[in-house]
Amino acid sequence: MSFSSIGVVGAGTMGHGIAHVSAQAGFQVVLFDVTLQAAEAGLAKIEKNLAVGVEKKKVTPEAKAAALERLRVTDSLSALAGCQLVIEAVPERLGLKQELFKALSGHCADDAVLASNTSSLSLTELAAAATQPQRVVGLHFFNPVHLMKLLEVVRALQTSDETVERVRAYGAAIGKQLIVVKDSPGFASSRLGVALGLEATRMLEEGVASAADIDQAMKLGYGHPMGPLELGDLVGLDVRLAIAEYLYAETGSPTFRPPQLLKKLVRAGKLGRKTGEGFFRY
Ligand code: NAD
């Protein structure tokens, strides 16, 4: 059974992007956050990104208006009751996401698919918190969601084939290219991407080169569209630290040991683009 109505929980960096691409692809979308103000801030970002799309002639004014028409914001979890697919994009904390999956299991229909946009956490552990664990799956989007092509589908131990097929159809409908990976710390993407970002942070800490030059090495030498430090600022250094801490705890690998510099920046509230400063100033 395909989806017509999509719920998105968390209207931050990722949630608003997921709501955006879903509404633009023709789905009815309910965007939830803990306060109506936060949900509306997410909606305002979607409006802004669609306006840029119109300016660049990638989106017609009619398509923009239609996408906004299909979006509804809420601070009440029960408003997600009619959604056949709910995707959570709340902060990277296992307990928080488990609580949410438990609560969503109570609100949503038995055949609804519950998906997590986690960058690293165990889907199998998250699925265990839901009453229908076979309908839990990872849908890992990339930032900025409306521009990045990849959608990483993560299969928990409990995820059914039917659930994977249903989210495959959703991924195709929103125009993403899918990879399907087994539940494993950091999956296929974060495991490699975070390793690079943490090593770049350690190099900066050791004074190997400036932040700009470390990034240039990867951009000009390896053809990366963005340097690992610049990318950390875009992702959010708090988000990156949470992932590193989790991967380090799970794997014990020194590759993922969070560098002091990353911890210090987060403690100072320098979280990257969203606060105006991280490795770079904005
Ligand atoms: P964010 O901090 O920008 O947004 C989180 C949102 O969740 C905020 O709007 C917050 O108000 C809301 N929230 C907090 N508690 C909530 C609750 N109990 N119920 C509902 N909403 C709640 O975070 P983000 O960067 O969007 O990351 C969200 C998830 O996406 C994380 O799991 C992260 O690992 C993953 N992710 C992030 C990126 C990235 O580049 N930032 C990329 C891929 C995946």
Side-chain angles (χ1 to χ4, degrees), residues 4-34:
S4 57
S5 187
I6 313 280
V8 179
V9 182
T13 308
M14 298 304 290
H16 86 265
I18 298 167
H20 172 161
V21 295
S22 301
Q24 211 177 337
F27 296 99
Q28 295 295 325
V29 178
V30 185
L31 178 58
F32 168 92
D33 209 304
V34 276

Side-chain angles (χ1 to χ4, degrees), residues 6-259:
I6 313 280
V8 179
V9 182
T13 308
M14 298 304 290
H16 86 265
I18 298 167
H20 172 161
V21 295
S22 301
Q24 211 177 337
F27 296 99
Q28 295 295 325
V29 178
V30 185
L31 178 58
F32 168 92
D33 209 304
V34 276
T35 63
L36 208 51
Q37 199 185 9
E40 276 164 358
L43 181 61
K45 285 185 204 144
I46 298 173
E47 257 186 292
K48 201 172 140 212
N49 286 334
L50 282 168
V52 172
V54 172
E55 234 169 73
K56 293 188 171 167
K57 302 211 181 307
K58 292 196 168 149
V59 181
T60 64
E62 295 74 27
K64 174 186 172 228
L68 292 173
E69 249 330 88
R70 288 189 280 267
L71 274 155
R72 198 153 58 85
V73 293
T74 183
D75 60 356
S76 156
L77 216 51
S78 57
L80 303 174
C83 299
Q84 297 94 33
L85 168 64
V86 178
I87 307 168
E88 71 77 18
V90 303
E92 190 79 338
R93 296 200 301 273
L94 184 66
L96 174 65
K97 290 181 193 276
Q98 283 176 320
E99 280 300 307
L100 186 64
F101 273 34
K102 219 178 281 171
L104 286 171
S105 294
H107 286 291
C108 299
D110 274 356
D111 63 354
V113 169
L114 302 182
S116 172
N117 183 49
T118 178
S119 311
S120 61
L121 302 175
S122 164
L123 258 305
T124 302
E125 222 168 332
L126 285 178
T131 49
Q132 303 282 340
Q134 72 280 17
R135 303 230 163 78
V136 173
V137 68
L139 283 182
H140 186 202
F141 289 84
F142 293 80
N143 183 9
V145 179
H146 67 294
L147 300 179
M148 299 296 278
K149 278 276 161 223
L150 180 64
L151 178 58
E152 186 175 39
V153 176
V154 186
R155 281 194 85 128
L157 196 67
Q158 306 94 321
T159 309
S160 67
D161 291 342
E162 188 203 348
T163 299
V164 173
E165 289 318 307
R166 290 173 76 191
V167 297
R168 261 188 204 281
Y170 163 73
I174 59 170
K176 299 296 181 202
Q177 290 187 18
L178 271 64
I179 59 169
V180 181
V181 305
K182 267 203 304 201
D183 185 21
S184 151
F187 323 128
S189 55
S190 303
R191 183 160 163 185
L192 288 173
V194 172
L196 191 69
L198 296 177
E199 197 56 30
T201 310
R202 278 187 279 271
M203 285 163 62
L204 182 64
E205 218 166 22
E206 288 169 22
V208 172
S210 68
D213 283 353
I214 292 170
D215 275 1
Q216 283 292 48
M218 287 298 103
K219 285 194 279 190
L220 303 184
Y222 281 71
H224 291 193
M226 245 188 178
L229 298 170
E230 195 187 350
L231 182 60
D233 279 354
L234 178 72
V235 166
L237 299 187
D238 53 336
V239 176
R240 176 151 279 179
L241 178 61
I243 299 168
E245 281 168 342
Y246 178 79
L247 291 179
Y248 185 49
E250 277 292 300
T251 64
S253 164
T255 303
F256 299 112
R257 182 186 294 138

